[in-house]
Amino acid sequence: MNTKQSSTYTISDLAKRFDITTRAIRFYESEGLLSPMRDGQKRIYNQKDYTTLKLILRGKRLGWSLAESRDLIQMYNPDSNNQEQYLKVLEKVQDSRERLQQQMHDIEIMLMELDEHEQRVKTAMSR
């Protein structure tokens, strides 16, 4: 489908576009995040569904839970300036950044411990 005039998509269109499975799309639909129209058994997704899926997948890449992404998506109001949503996104970004920085620190410590252990084993082997 995916014509420029209609801005509708089949489940296959979305799966190809976002490189995910149709099963994943049906899961997001079962979670109430996507609401395609139906043409018999065929699902027809609109631009809102496309954008919602894009935001879900972005949130997933950022390490956000589906519930967190849902909350942010549901805050969107096309009739407002969405400042509350933006502030919440900034808060989530900061949380993610802090979590990643902590993970990076933990990895650095683990690498130092591995280096020390490796050196002790090499020293023991050379005796």
Side-chain angles (χ1 to χ4, degrees):
M1 222 168 236
N2 194 5
T3 61
K4 291 289 183 193
Q5 303 103 315
S6 65
S7 292
T8 60
Y9 308 86
T10 65
I11 195 167
S12 296
D13 291 335
L14 291 180
K16 287 176 193 165
R17 170 63 179 94
F18 292 106
D19 194 26
I20 60 175
T21 64
T22 56
R23 183 177 182 197
I25 295 169
R26 286 190 299 273
F27 171 74
Y28 297 133
E29 183 181 336
S30 73
E31 291 293 308
L33 292 163
L34 304 174
S35 51
M37 298 175 290
R38 296 286 186 148
D39 181 9
Q41 292 287 72
K42 191 175 187 179
R43 291 169 166 86
I44 310 295
Y45 297 88
N46 60 24
Q47 190 61 42
K48 182 179 184 244
D49 293 316
Y50 178 93
T51 302
T52 298
L53 184 55
K54 184 177 178 179
L55 294 172
I56 291 167
L57 296 174
R58 181 178 296 152
K60 186 175 178 181
R61 281 192 313 274
L62 294 172
W64 300 346
S65 71
L66 188 55
E68 291 170 319
S69 290
R70 175 188 289 116
D71 290 345
L72 292 171
I73 291 165
Q74 289 176 342
M75 290 176 78
Y76 177 72
N77 178 355
D79 298 326
S80 78
N81 65 8
N82 291 299
Q83 291 300 306
E84 185 179 345
Q85 182 194 37
Y86 295 151
L87 290 171
K88 189 68 172 175
V89 168
L90 289 175
E91 180 183 311
K92 293 295 310 155
V93 165
Q94 185 59 36
D95 290 348
S96 293
R97 179 176 283 114
E98 289 172 4
R99 184 186 72 249
L100 288 171
Q101 287 172 335
Q102 181 61 52
Q103 288 174 339
M104 205 161 50
H105 176 71
D106 294 345
I107 289 169
E108 289 170 355
I109 290 172
M110 289 172 61
L111 287 170
M112 286 183 346
E113 289 174 358
L114 285 171
D115 289 343
E116 291 170 7
H117 186 64
E118 179 183 39
Q119 191 56 49
R120 281 195 302 272
V121 169
K122 285 180 177 178
T123 300
M125 287 174 61
S126 65
R127 288 184 190 162

